[in-house]
């Protein structure tokens, strides 16, 4: 594997330059979108610059992979067609009988691929509360091969102590993977804390403009890279060149966008917490968050996701989400535009009510993906939603 091109400077600088060089043919400053499936060879099995076929490698995707590796302080990155495409390749690395310890508060699609696809293939899963490192330690068995964490989680913004859990896993000879989609490498770098693999849905903050679907696996160990690159090619989930270009366009402004996401979310979380119609706010940046101290230690700021519980239950939540005008009612997150969704009636509606409540997901829960619009416009929009909730 080549070392990362232009891997110099601080985060903001590398976000713009790492992995990218002007085009050797004509000096184009931006990495071209190499829309080609195949590459001319100089002699049989002598590819000109290492490229043979775009499922295996493509120069636009290579530029993105190096860019992502640089941002996560890693040696390598691999880009996939979606976040779940990356999860699929990671899980395909394990064998029937292997056991995986995962959080009990995962992204729904991750839980689905674990239980509906890989359990059928003979992998075994234990789902535990990863807020508690001891619960992870207790779940590790002789056949455990992977600890899979998400932090912060969706939609309750719970944290896992990456350093503590990765140390427990390492002692047991177990790999640790962290889904870093919510935090992004601008706020949290799991490999620096001891994790072995970082997973991203590039669809969210890294793309940042709600116009592309993609995923990535990122790490340092060369043996792991070889295994996962083999699966990227042989299972065929690699990301396309246009998608790679769009994500790179996104990562260039990641630092700027995240600063504003965090600023806006911090202000709105405090506003909601002081409001009489609001029962509770979940945001790692609030002193009232049970793991605020861990958030301060593990993250450089607290992200753009905020959830809160409205008094008045499902009706109030639904009225809020229908009345807002800037906060668009939609699933997904991490784009420049603000979105709102109501987990009890949308993303988590399939979970039985008692199970959902027992997990802390109350009826009036509303989730905001706070965008980078002007914060006063967002506050006025929240007031519009709260007024509708009060009438519900
Ligand atoms: C969206 C998401 C995924 C899945 O990514 P896709 O790009 O939608 O396949 C995985 N993890 C988290 C935390 C997500 O938000």
């Amino acid at each position: 594997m080549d070392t990362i091109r232009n891997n110099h400077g601080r985060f903001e600088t590398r976000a713009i330059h790492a992995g990218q060089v002007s085009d050797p043919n004509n000096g184009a400053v931006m990495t071209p979108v190499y829309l080609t499936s195949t590459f001319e060879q100089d002699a049989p099995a002598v590819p000109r610059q290492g490229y043979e076929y775009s499922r295996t490698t493509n120069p636009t995707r290579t530029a993105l992979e190096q860019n992502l590796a640089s941002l996560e302080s890693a040696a390598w990155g691999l880009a996939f067609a979606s976040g779940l495409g990356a999860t699929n390749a990671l899980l395909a690395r394990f064998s029937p009988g292997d056991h995986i310890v995962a959080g009990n508060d995962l992204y729904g699609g991750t839980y689905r691929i674990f239980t509906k696809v890989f359990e059928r293939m003979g992998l075994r899963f234990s789902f535990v509360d990863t807020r508690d490192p001891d619960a992870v330690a207790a779940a590790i068995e002789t056949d455990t091969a992977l600890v899979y964490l998400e932090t912060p989680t969706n939609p309750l913004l719970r944290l896992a102590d990456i350093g503590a859990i990765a140390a427990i896993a390492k002692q047991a000879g177990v790999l640790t993977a962290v889904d870093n989609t919510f935090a992004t490498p601008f706020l949290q770098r799991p490999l620096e804390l001891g994790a072995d693999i970082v997973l991203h849905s590039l669809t969210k903050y890294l793309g940042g403009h709600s116009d592309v679907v993609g995923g990535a696996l990122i790490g340092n160990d060369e043996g792991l890279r070889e295994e996962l690159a083999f699966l990227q090619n042989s299972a065929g989930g690699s990301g396309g060149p246009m998608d790679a270009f769009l994500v790179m366009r996104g990562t260039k402004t990641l630092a700027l966008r995240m600063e504003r996401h965090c600023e806006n979310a911090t202000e709105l979380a405090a506003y909601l917490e002081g409001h009489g119609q609001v029962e509770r706010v979940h945001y790692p940046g609030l002193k009232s968050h049970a793991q605020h101290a861990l958030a301060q230690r593990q993250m450089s700021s607290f992200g753009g996701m905020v959830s809160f519980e409205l008094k008045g239950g499902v009706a109030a939540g639904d009225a809020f989400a229908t009345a807002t005008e800037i906060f668009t009612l939609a699933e997904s997150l991490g784009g420049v535009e603000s979105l709102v969704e109501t987990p009890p009636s949308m993303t988590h509606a399939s979970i039985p009510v008692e199970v959902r409540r027992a997990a802390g997901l109350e009826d009036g829960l509303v989730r905001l993906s706070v965008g980078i619009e002007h914060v006063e416009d967002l506050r006025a929009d929240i007031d519009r939603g709260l007024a509708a909730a009060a009438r519900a």
Side-chain angles (χ1 to χ4, degrees):
M1 171 86 185
D2 293 346
T3 51
I4 300 170
R5 293 168 291 186
N6 276 344
N7 195 18
H8 311 299
R10 295 172 176 77
F11 187 96
E12 292 81 347
T13 307
R14 287 181 282 118
I16 293 168
H17 297 286
Q20 296 164 67
V21 288
S22 55
D23 188 61
N25 296 319
N26 51 34
V29 169
M30 285 303 133
T31 306
V33 186
Y34 285 97
L35 286 173
T36 184
S37 58
T38 189
F39 299 83
E40 184 181 9
Q41 307 199 5
D42 289 332
V46 184
R48 196 161 296 170
Q49 287 179 31
Y51 295 102
E52 293 172 4
Y53 186 61
S54 280
R55 171 168 27 77
T56 319
T57 46
N58 172 286
T60 316
R61 190 165 72 235
T62 302
L64 170 64
E65 290 174 337
Q66 295 198 356
N67 186 257
L68 296 173
S70 173
L71 298 187
E72 287 285 3
S73 308
W76 52 263
L78 297 166
F80 293 84
S82 67
L84 285 175
T87 314
N88 183 59
L90 174 62
L91 273 281
R93 183 216 174 251
F94 299 97
S95 304
D98 282 351
H99 175 250
I100 293 172
V101 178
N104 62 4
D105 191 18
L106 296 173
Y107 174 71
T110 304
Y111 181 75
R112 184 177 57 198
I113 194 174
F114 285 3
T115 54
K116 296 270 199 268
V117 180
F118 283 99
E119 225 160 53
R120 205 156 42 72
M121 306 288 180
L123 297 190
R124 296 182 304 112
F125 295 87
S126 294
F127 297 98
V128 303
D129 186 343
T130 49
R131 283 176 297 182
D132 177 12
D134 293 337
V136 175
I140 291 178
E141 307 172 2
T142 38
D143 290 334
T144 304
L146 179 70
V147 171
Y148 188 97
L149 303 175
E150 217 179 284
T151 179
T153 63
N154 172 31
L156 294 173
L157 289 307
R158 291 171 173 163
L159 270 52
D161 186 332
I162 298 170
I165 293 173
I168 290 167
K170 188 154 284 167
Q171 186 127 49
V174 172
L175 294 172
T176 302
V178 178
D179 181 337
N180 203 29
T181 299
F182 267 41
T184 84
F186 185 62
L187 305 182
Q188 168 176 286
R189 287 182 292 281
L191 300 177
E192 291 178 2
L193 300 169
D196 301 289
I197 299 157
V198 165
L199 182 139
H200 275 287
S201 169
L202 303 174
T203 316
K204 314 295 168 51
Y205 287 104
L206 295 188
H209 297 76
S210 305
D211 55 6
V212 61
V213 172
L217 295 174
I218 300 162
N220 280 315
D221 184 78
E222 178 56 23
L224 261 181
R225 188 199 74 81
E226 279 171 24
E227 290 179 68
L228 296 171
F230 170 82
L231 287 163
Q232 182 193 38
N233 180 46
S234 58
S238 36
M242 189 67 211
D243 296 347
F245 177 86
L246 286 170
V247 176
M248 267 192 292
R249 188 186 170 105
T251 57
K252 287 180 200 302
T253 57
L254 180 66
L256 279 174
R257 285 187 287 108
M258 289 314 293
E259 280 170 6
R260 180 63 65 84
H261 281 297
C262 292
E263 249 176 62
N264 283 358
T266 298
E267 199 162 327
L268 296 179
Y271 180 64
L272 285 163
E273 189 165 53
H275 200 284
Q277 278 171 258
V278 176
E279 189 68 50
R280 189 173 290 106
V281 181
H282 304 282
Y283 186 65
L286 290 172
K287 286 200 181 69
S288 59
H289 190 286
Q291 296 168 291
H292 179 60
L294 173 60
Q296 284 181 307
R297 212 162 61 234
Q298 178 165 282
M299 307 172 72
S300 60
S301 185
F302 310 106
M305 300 302 296
V306 178
S307 64
F308 62 99
E309 227 174 89
L310 274 173
K311 294 174 182 164
V314 174
D318 287 1
F320 179 97
T322 313
T324 52
E325 290 172 6
I326 299 174
F327 283 93
T328 304
L329 180 56
E331 292 179 12
S332 199
L333 60 115
V336 290
E337 72 290 334
S338 291
L339 301 177
V340 60
E341 71 120 353
T342 52
S345 46
M346 292 172 70
T347 39
H348 295 65
S350 59
I351 304 174
V353 177
E354 317 75 59
V355 177
R356 170 166 67 64
R357 285 186 191 143
L361 220 151
E362 298 291 345
D363 291 357
L365 196 76
V366 174
R367 187 190 80 177
L368 303 177
S369 174
V370 178
I372 64 170
E373 299 95 338
H374 197 289
V375 71
E376 291 311 327
D377 294 329
L378 295 180
R379 193 198 312 268
D381 203 36
I382 282 178
D383 284 339
R384 194 176 291 126
L386 289 171
R391 291 191 301 269

